[in-house]
Structures are given as C-alpha cells and as structure tokens.
Amino acid sequence: MKSIIERYNKSKGDHHQQGNPTSEVKFWQREAAALRQQLQSLQENHRQMMGEGLSGLTVKDLQNLENQLEMSLRGVRMKKDQILMDEIQELNRKGSLIHQENVELYKKVNLIRQENMELYKKVYGTRDVNGTNRNLLTDGLEIGEDSHVPVHLQLSQPQQQNYESTARATNLGLQLH
C-alpha cells in the first residue's frame, strides 16, 4: 500500500510538471490493472491455502504450499501456547491470592472461635467433676446448675429458712426457682 501511495505521489509530481491529464488517466489505468492482478493472485493463493483449486499445481508447488501451511500452523500454535501459558500464570496468581485470602479468613474464624469459647466459659463457667456448671457471680457466690436448665431470677421478700440459704438470698435480694 505504501508503494502505491509513493508511486502516486511521484506520478502526481511528474504530471504537475507536465500538466498532461491524459498521462494521469493512463497512470491510473495501469495502477488499476496492477491492483486487479494482485487481487486475483491473492485470491488464488487464498483458495490454495484453503485446499481448493489444487488441480493445476505440480508436486513441487504442492510441497511448497504444504511447507507454507506447516509454518503458518506452527506460528498459530506457538501463539496459542503463549496465550494459554499467560492465562495459566494469571490463574495461578489468582489462585495463590485466593489461597492467601482463605488462610487469612481461616485465622480470623479461629480467633473468633477462641473468643467465643472464652465468652462461653465466662458466661457458663467450666464443668466440674459432677457434670454441673460452676458459675461465679460478681460478688463471689457460686451456684451449681446444669447447663441446660434455665435460671429464673425474680425479686422477692426473704423467707425464714435454713440460715445459709437465707443469708445468700438476703445478700442478693433474689430467690432462685
């Protein structure tokens, strides 16, 4: 294409000097004929590359065509392999990032699990030998209960009972049911 433009510019410069429109028409007729010939040659080459119109070719022409196709195919395969390798590297990089993120999330989950266990122990206490939970209240009193039995607290007047149980109930102003 560049050669055509260069020839046009050269011819245009020559024609301006001569000022002859007939020679310019002849130039364009020759250019059009050359381009038609080039187009026909390219179309024929394309048909042969596609496996069509091979009947007029000699064994040497067919061998040359086969070599061209093999070289083209090799180039296509190399480009495809390079693209696939690039994609594999990118996927490995993304996989590594996802794995790293997964490890970080796993650490966070374990940290939250440990915090939950500590909170659970603070709320429900630890089991003793009898299988009951031991809860420590803020004033230091211990109440033994099964962990699955709900504790119901309500305000009430102290009743006259055993000295130990009334002393505890009076201090809290609460009665356990």
Side-chain angles (χ1 to χ4, degrees), residues 19-84:
N20 187 355
T22 314
S23 64
E24 188 172 342
V25 170
K26 287 182 183 179
F27 168 77
W28 285 116
Q29 287 174 343
R30 284 191 309 269
E31 283 296 317
L35 288 174
R36 265 189 238 102
Q37 181 64 35
Q38 188 178 8
L39 179 61
Q40 286 176 349
S41 175
L42 288 172
Q43 286 174 337
E44 181 65 25
N45 191 12
H46 181 262
R47 278 193 294 276
Q48 290 174 353
M49 292 274 188
M50 298 304 290
E52 301 170 1
L54 301 177
S55 60
L57 297 178
T58 66
V59 173
K60 185 162 179 84
D61 291 338
L62 288 171
Q63 208 167 16
N64 287 338
L65 180 61
E66 185 179 20
N67 288 339
Q68 280 181 324
L69 289 171
E70 285 177 358
M71 289 185 64
S72 296
L73 185 59
R74 197 173 311 132
V76 168
R77 285 182 178 154
M78 285 174 53
K79 181 64 175 174
K80 182 186 83 170
D81 289 347
Q82 183 60 46
I83 290 171
L84 289 175

Side-chain angles (χ1 to χ4, degrees), residues 130-145:
N130 298 330
T132 58
N133 280 341
R134 303 298 289 172
N135 292 323
L136 295 175
L137 299 177
T138 54
D139 63 355
L141 294 175
E142 293 184 335
I143 303 171
E145 291 219 14

Side-chain angles (χ1 to χ4, degrees), residues 111-124:
L111 181 64
I112 290 170
R113 187 175 290 141
Q114 286 176 349
E115 290 173 356
N116 285 343
M117 288 300 287
E118 290 172 10
L119 288 173
Y120 182 86
K121 286 178 183 177
K122 285 181 183 177
V123 171
Y124 296 107

Side-chain angles (χ1 to χ4, degrees), residues 137 143 145 150-155 172 174-177:
L137 299 177
I143 303 171
E145 291 219 14
V151 175
H152 299 286
L153 299 176
Q154 70 182 43
L155 294 174
L172 289 176
L174 302 172
Q175 183 178 357
L176 296 175
H177 295 277

